[in-house]
Amino acid sequence: MLKIGVLGAGHLGKIHLRLLQQSEKYELVGFYDENQENGAKIAAEFGYKQFDTIAKLIHAVDVIDIVTPTLSHYKCAKVSIKSGKHVFIEKPIATTVEEAEEIIALANEYKVKGQVGHVERFNPAFIATKNMIENPMFIETHRLAEFNPRGTDVPVVLDLMIHDIDAILSVVNSKVKNINASGVSVISETPDIANARIEFENGCVANLTSSRISMKNMRKTRFFQKDAYISVDFLEKKCEVVKMKDAPEVPGDFDMILQNAEGIKKQIYFSNPDVQQNNAILDELESFADAIINDTTPVVTLEQATNALRVAYQIIESMEK
């Protein structure tokens, strides 16, 4: 079992602590929280060991789980990596692309592994359909959330849309060619609702909408490709696949057949792939343990997370124009 320590015991930090306590791949050594009073309450309530300095916690573990506010990700990652520790960093990887690139350089220099918490990669509905997503040419995403003051310290692009940016970049095998975006600040100092159109070199287009002032929660992505349409509901953890194949010579009574203007007939197949329910946060943390133990590439690499951050900032830049 790998010894792990958690930096940050806020809302998400507490979830990480609880799951790491249950994990069979990690031994939870303890945590450090900048707010020592808050830390003492959590230690008393749940029995986790509280450390009074970051240095003492880093010294006691093999892996550091960074669940602090985004502004301190770089600082925490830097001191952990320089101590030779593997790092799991909550998304986004850092505040700026420059910081993220330095984290990559340090991890390479100190020969440690890093993974970033883009948890939707472990969403069971996305896992169930990922192998079916082949060369999508149009992607549409809606990620809408009810207002929560907890996320308003960063633009909605870095808070919500970055999940979809990362998922899209993981299935589109092409470089970004062009980005157009617009956003509106309604309650916060930064945009609360944003729309972005990403054009890739291979012709694929992704249209992303994110809002944190919606009346209801929604997290849906639709992938359109040759002869198939794949819908993934990240919130309900459901998926649907609609495929088209050449129609049989003699269709059955219940076969759905479409005929286009050229007279070509296609048969439509509907399927709902089997979705294996899981705990995505526990899975992402344990997949990182596997990568360390087996010396394999983490599922969400520091480089991939940096690419997602880079695209997020290109979207913000386009909105500001």
Side-chain angles (χ1 to χ4, degrees), residues 303-320:
E303 288 80 2
Q304 288 168 339
T306 302
N307 281 342
L309 187 66
R310 188 177 287 112
V311 171
Y313 272 111
Q314 287 171 317
I315 289 169
I316 292 167
E317 210 174 291
S318 175
M319 286 195 306
E320 286 168 352

Side-chain angles (χ1 to χ4, degrees), residues 25-164:
K25 300 194 178 186
Y26 290 108
E27 178 196 332
L28 176 62
V29 172
F31 74 97
Y32 169 82
D33 192 84
E34 206 168 46
N35 182 336
Q36 289 282 297
E37 206 175 306
N38 174 55
K41 271 186 207 159
I42 291 161
E45 189 178 345
F46 301 104
Y48 312 129
K49 184 178 178 186
Q50 180 188 13
F51 283 75
D52 57 5
T53 69
I54 288 183
K56 283 179 189 170
L57 178 64
I58 290 171
H59 182 69
V61 300
D62 310 306
V63 185
I64 285 287
D65 179 14
I66 299 167
V67 205
T68 58
T70 307
L71 284 169
S72 62
H73 284 187
Y74 167 71
K75 182 183 75 180
C76 294
K78 188 175 174 182
V79 66
S80 303
I81 293 167
K82 283 190 164 184
S83 303
K85 310 300 177 177
H86 304 289
V87 289
F88 183 96
I89 309 170
E90 247 320 312
K91 66 88 203 160
I93 178 173
T95 313
T96 66
V97 173
E98 291 72 28
E99 284 180 355
E101 284 173 339
E102 197 176 326
I103 290 171
I104 292 170
L106 283 167
N108 288 334
E109 184 186 340
Y110 287 88
K111 295 184 173 47
V112 297
K113 291 192 186 292
Q115 182 168 318
V116 179
H118 284 286
V119 72
E120 293 292 37
R121 295 266 210 111
F122 294 83
N123 188 297
F126 186 55
I127 290 168
T129 52
K130 193 161 181 215
N131 291 340
M132 302 174 198
I133 302 168
E134 295 168 4
N135 200 27
M137 294 315 286
F138 182 71
I139 302 169
E140 189 168 35
T141 78
H142 288 91
R143 185 169 291 262
L144 315 177
E146 293 171 8
F147 184 71
N148 178 354
R150 199 167 54 80
T152 52
D153 55 332
V154 290
V156 71
V157 175
L158 293 177
D159 184 29
L160 298 179
M161 192 184 280
I162 196 158
H163 282 295
D164 298 311

Side-chain angles (χ1 to χ4, degrees), residues 107-301:
N108 288 334
E109 184 186 340
Y110 287 88
K111 295 184 173 47
V112 297
K113 291 192 186 292
Q115 182 168 318
V116 179
H118 284 286
V119 72
E120 293 292 37
R121 295 266 210 111
F122 294 83
N123 188 297
F126 186 55
I127 290 168
T129 52
K130 193 161 181 215
N131 291 340
M132 302 174 198
I133 302 168
E134 295 168 4
N135 200 27
M137 294 315 286
F138 182 71
I139 302 169
E140 189 168 35
T141 78
H142 288 91
R143 185 169 291 262
L144 315 177
E146 293 171 8
F147 184 71
N148 178 354
R150 199 167 54 80
T152 52
D153 55 332
V154 290
V156 71
V157 175
L158 293 177
D159 184 29
L160 298 179
M161 192 184 280
I162 196 158
H163 282 295
D164 298 311
I165 296 167
D166 173 71
I168 287 167
L169 293 178
S170 76
V171 295
V172 178
N173 201 10
S174 179
K175 288 182 177 166
V176 172
K177 182 173 124 186
N178 191 35
I179 290 175
N180 286 300
S182 57
V184 181
S185 303
V186 181
I187 314 179
S188 320
E189 295 299 308
T190 59
D192 295 300
I193 185 163
N195 175 264
R197 178 186 164 95
I198 305 173
E199 294 170 24
F200 292 88
E201 287 179 359
N202 69 350
C204 175
V205 172
N207 191 9
L208 298 83
T209 302
S210 287
S211 165
R212 58 181 171 207
I213 47 163
S214 181
M215 299 303 282
K216 61 173 186 175
N217 292 323
M218 180 197 275
R219 305 204 307 251
K220 282 185 180 172
T221 301
R222 300 171 181 88
F223 301 89
F224 298 85
Q225 60 197 39
K226 176 78 175 150
D227 291 336
Y229 154 79
I230 297 159
S231 166
V232 179
D233 188 328
F234 287 94
L235 187 62
E236 298 292 336
K237 298 180 174 52
K238 291 176 184 168
C239 51
E240 184 180 47
V241 178
V242 181
K243 282 193 171 175
M244 290 195 192
K245 293 178 184 171
D246 291 333
E249 289 291 320
V250 184
D253 292 344
F254 299 103
D255 290 351
M256 270 190 86
I257 309 293
L258 282 184
Q259 183 173 331
N260 67 12
E262 289 77 31
I264 297 167
K265 291 181 179 178
K266 294 272 187 181
Q267 182 177 358
I268 302 176
Y269 296 84
F270 292 90
S271 70
N272 295 91
D274 186 30
V275 176
Q276 301 286 331
Q277 295 303 324
N278 68 345
N279 186 309
I281 296 175
L282 181 60
D283 280 6
E284 67 177 353
L285 289 163
E286 292 199 333
S287 80
F288 186 46
D290 292 339
I292 295 166
I293 293 160
N294 303 321
D295 193 22
T296 52
T297 304
V299 176
V300 184
T301 65

